[in-house]
Amino acid sequence: MEIHDVSDELDIKVKKYQRGEGADLESLKDKKLKGQLANKEELFKKSANAAAKAEKWLMQTEGGRLEPEGIEKTWRFHQQSIAKEVDVASRKNQFDLVLPDLGPYTLDYTSSGRYMVSAGRKGHLSIIDLHTLKPIKDMQVRETVRDVVFLHNELFFAAAQKKYTYIYNRAGTELHCLKEHGAVLKLQFLRNHFLLSSINKIGQLHYQDITTGQMIGNYRCGLGHSDVLELNPYNSVLTSGHSGGTVSMWKPTSQAPLVKMLCHRGPVTAIAFHPNGHLMATAGMDKKLKIWDLRKNEVIQTLPGFAKSLDFSQKGMLATSTGSFVQVLATSDSQDYSRYMIHTMAKGYQINKILFRPYEDVLGIGHSNGLSSILIPGSGEPNFDSWVANPYETSKQRREKEVRVLLDKLPPEAIMLDPTQIGNLRNTRNKEKPTQQETEAEKAAAIAAAKNVTLKKKTKGRSKPSKVARKKQEGIEQAKRSFVEQHKDDGVLKKKQKRIMDASDLPVALLPFVSRKTT
């Protein structure tokens, strides 16, 4: 009985990794094509079986979700009832930090989800270790802070303050003042490219390399005021939302947007991207929430409601916030999102930003009276890859990872809408050589054109018939000579290529003695 259960479980996992239905080989008459497709189907089957077996050993932790019984609804469960059923380690992730005089707050997590940086509008900056719930650094910069973002690890973070953007280290020491960015409204960090991007009050988009300090790009959006800036994790393309309802996508090596879409009939208030990069959620002042398929640039679902902040979790759940109300949408096998959980803050709390914590079933909330964290079962990835993000990394592992990611840093030119095209070369067609008949016909046409040339009549005996005939003969000889030289150059080029090929066939020890003229 146990063997049967194990085989059934393996079959379910294999179906998850299959690439759709197989080809109908019986209806094919071409034996060669039938054999090729049969080999491909066999390879697909082997890869699905290998992925299913690897999942059993490499991904041992399974993600859970709220499962209602009978007429129960998952969105009727409150945080108090969820906290009573979870373990102690998960229960400590549910907390409220009441800071009424320094808000509203915004926040950001590291890629591993262990550290959180928060910024109050009135100058309060802090870094918290979420494993121990102890503050690492707490400081007051005494001026307006609009946004904050971690850089490549928890040792550095950038804060968009009143006039300029500043970079601080973990100890709170100011390292750099980026005056070129101006009065920044939103910040984003491209981890694979080490680029700090920002958009300021006048609609300027900046890209700056934090490893060299070089300004990679500085463009005017030209679409009006924008305080919405989001990064697509799939291809590192930045997306900005504007007051005219337009959403534009940018890369640092292009002054014009890659894509410009009219998404709403009013200002865009929030944008979020699914981790797979194929889905985009937008919210606008027209009180509509739209989910887009970026592979076709089409709307696949429209929901009513206004949202000031949006965020996708690692498992594809979508969180929206309006006023003091948070709603989490989830999808099953179908593509339609429906209500999964809701949470209402205390009266008077106005939510500024929501953000899912990586590798945890936690949603962080920055609001007007401080910071909150609620439990969303099934939102985080249960299995982490220590090569990508390790929540338990030591200082030695952090140093080694920093060196590794710097060596693997991607150039700005690698940012494009379809990253699978990186490394592919365009197939160059070989220029077809004209046949001998075509060459002879072209030569005869050139000679005939040279014979029919009418020379300008000159005075004082320079237009004698003998001189005119001699000049026409010179034009005919010149037309013939051009074809002869072209044929001669092709022969010399072939001989030269042959000498180079012969030299490449020699042993390595003899290459230094080859004449340089062959290269």
Side-chain angles (χ1 to χ4, degrees):
M1 185 65 182
E2 293 180 357
I3 296 175
H4 181 68
D5 293 341
V6 170
S7 62
D8 290 344
E9 182 182 355
L10 187 62
D11 291 340
I12 294 172
K13 291 183 178 180
V14 167
K15 289 181 180 180
K16 184 170 68 172
Y17 291 102
Q18 284 179 345
R19 307 188 184 188
E21 297 181 359
D24 186 9
L25 302 178
E26 298 299 330
S27 61
L28 295 176
K29 296 181 180 180
D30 190 346
K31 293 183 178 180
K32 184 177 180 181
L33 178 61
K34 187 175 181 179
Q36 291 175 351
L37 290 178
N39 292 336
K40 283 191 175 183
E41 291 294 336
E42 188 66 24
L43 288 175
F44 292 159
K45 186 177 179 181
K46 288 182 180 179
S47 64
N49 288 328
K53 291 178 180 178
E55 182 183 356
K56 180 181 178 182
W57 301 108
L58 297 179
M59 300 183 180
Q60 299 180 359
T61 306
E62 295 184 359
R65 294 178 66 172
L66 292 177
E67 296 181 359
E69 295 181 356
I71 61 173
E72 289 182 339
K73 302 294 183 181
T74 56
W75 47 271
R76 292 187 180 275
F77 291 104
H78 297 284
Q79 289 295 313
Q80 293 80 2
S81 58
I82 295 175
K84 293 178 182 178
E85 302 297 332
V86 298
D87 58 333
V88 177
S90 299
R91 193 180 303 148
K92 72 176 184 179
N93 291 327
Q94 190 183 62
F95 61 83
D96 286 303
L97 296 177
V98 181
L99 303 165
D101 299 329
L102 302 173
Y105 275 82
T106 183
L107 70 156
D108 188 37
Y109 294 106
T110 56
S111 58
S112 64
R114 177 168 180 175
Y115 298 93
M116 178 182 73
V117 60
S118 62
R121 182 61 62 90
K122 296 181 181 178
H124 179 219
L125 295 174
S126 64
I127 303 176
I128 301 175
D129 186 348
L130 296 176
H131 282 190
T132 60
L133 292 180
K134 293 182 179 179
I136 297 175
K137 183 61 181 178
D138 199 356
M139 62 180 185
Q140 174 63 250
V141 296
R142 296 184 180 180
E143 68 176 8
T144 303
V145 179
R146 300 184 186 91
D147 199 11
V148 66
V149 66
F150 271 119
L151 301 187
H152 56 284
N153 55 25
E154 71 277 6
L155 298 183
F156 306 97
F157 66 94
Q161 296 179 202
K162 184 177 181 180
K163 292 180 66 177
Y164 306 121
T165 299
Y166 294 86
I167 294 179
Y168 299 94
N169 64 1
R170 187 175 179 175
T173 305
E174 179 187 325
L175 302 179
H176 300 285
C177 175
L178 309 179
K179 295 185 178 181
E180 299 90 346
H181 292 250
V184 171
L185 299 178
K186 287 292 180 181
L187 290 171
Q188 288 291 336
F189 182 69
L190 285 66
R191 301 182 188 278
N192 296 329
H193 308 267
F194 281 80
L195 294 177
L196 179 65
S197 59
S198 67
I199 192 164
N200 57 21
K201 286 183 176 181
I202 60 176
Q204 275 186 325
L205 187 65
H206 292 82
Y207 289 88
Q208 187 163 8
D209 192 332
I210 65 166
T211 58
T212 62
Q214 181 183 2
M215 186 65 72
I216 304 298
N218 178 9
Y219 312 124
R220 288 292 295 267
C221 295
L223 297 171
H225 177 76
S226 174
D227 58 353
V228 179
L229 187 67
E230 194 63 35
L231 175 69
N232 189 339
Y234 174 67
N235 51 18
S236 298
V237 171
L238 275 180
T239 303
S240 59
H242 304 274
S243 57
T246 306
V247 168
S248 54
M249 300 182 184
W250 305 83
K251 70 175 184 178
T253 56
S254 174
Q255 294 186 0
L258 301 176
V259 178
K260 191 186 296 183
M261 303 165 57
L262 182 61
C263 297
H264 295 274
R265 296 184 178 180
V268 178
T269 57
I271 299 174
F273 287 94
H274 195 280
N276 61 15
H278 301 320
L279 293 180
M280 178 180 71
T282 61
M285 292 293 288
D286 56 355
K287 296 184 179 180
K288 287 184 180 179
L289 173 64
K290 296 182 179 181
I291 299 175
W292 300 77
D293 187 348
L294 295 179
R295 292 167 291 188
K296 299 182 291 183
N297 290 337
E298 293 181 357
V299 180
I300 59 176
Q301 189 178 359
T302 303
L303 299 170
F306 172 76
K308 187 178 180 181
S309 180
L310 296 172
D311 190 44
F312 273 102
S313 72
Q314 291 177 314
K315 284 298 185 180
M317 295 185 182
L318 177 61
T320 69
S321 68
T322 305
S324 58
F325 181 75
V326 177
Q327 182 176 223
V328 179
L329 307 176
T331 179
S332 55
D333 296 334
S334 63
Q335 293 294 329
D336 292 336
Y337 276 84
S338 59
R339 184 187 299 176
Y340 176 64
M341 287 189 67
I342 60 174
H343 178 70
T344 304
M345 306 294 297
K347 188 175 181 180
Y349 286 20
Q350 297 297 309
I351 298 174
N352 184 42
K353 185 176 181 179
I354 54 175
L355 191 64
F356 280 102
R357 180 180 167 189
Y359 304 103
E360 294 286 349
D361 295 343
V362 173
L363 177 65
I365 304 173
H367 48 82
S368 57
N369 283 35
L371 297 164
S372 298
S373 179
I374 61 176
L375 300 178
I376 309 294
S379 62
E381 173 64 46
N383 301 282
F384 66 88
D385 186 354
S386 60
W387 190 259
V388 177
N390 185 6
Y392 305 98
E393 68 180 2
T394 61
S395 58
K396 180 181 178 182
Q397 291 173 339
R398 186 185 66 238
R399 289 194 297 268
E400 292 176 351
K401 180 182 177 182
E402 189 170 6
V403 174
R404 187 176 70 247
V405 296
L406 279 171
L407 292 175
D408 295 339
K409 171 188 168 185
L410 297 177
E413 293 78 13
I415 299 176
M416 58 182 64
L417 288 176
D418 188 5
T420 59
Q421 298 299 320
I422 297 175
N424 295 336
L425 296 177
R426 183 182 300 172
N427 294 327
T428 56
R429 296 181 179 178
N430 295 328
K431 188 177 180 180
E432 295 182 358
K433 185 178 179 180
T435 62
Q436 186 176 1
Q437 294 178 353
E438 293 176 351
T439 305
E440 293 293 337
E442 188 177 354
K443 182 178 179 181
I447 292 173
K451 288 182 179 179
N452 297 327
V453 171
T454 56
L455 300 177
K456 185 178 180 180
K457 190 174 181 179
K458 298 181 180 180
T459 58
K460 294 184 181 180
R462 288 184 292 180
S463 294
K464 293 180 180 181
S466 59
K467 289 187 177 182
V468 172
R470 187 170 63 250
K471 287 184 179 180
K472 285 189 176 181
Q473 188 63 29
E474 289 176 356
I476 294 171
E477 295 296 333
Q478 181 65 29
K480 291 180 180 179
R481 194 180 301 117
S482 62
F483 283 91
V484 174
E485 290 177 354
Q486 182 180 0
H487 181 71
K488 184 179 178 180
D489 292 342
D490 291 342
V492 171
L493 184 62
K494 288 182 179 179
K495 290 182 181 179
K496 186 176 181 181
Q497 289 178 349
K498 185 177 180 182
R499 288 199 304 267
I500 293 173
M501 291 177 62
D502 294 341
S504 63
D505 293 337
L506 293 175
V508 178
L510 297 179
L511 289 179
F513 303 99
V514 178
S515 175
R516 293 183 181 274
K517 294 182 180 179
T518 61
T519 59

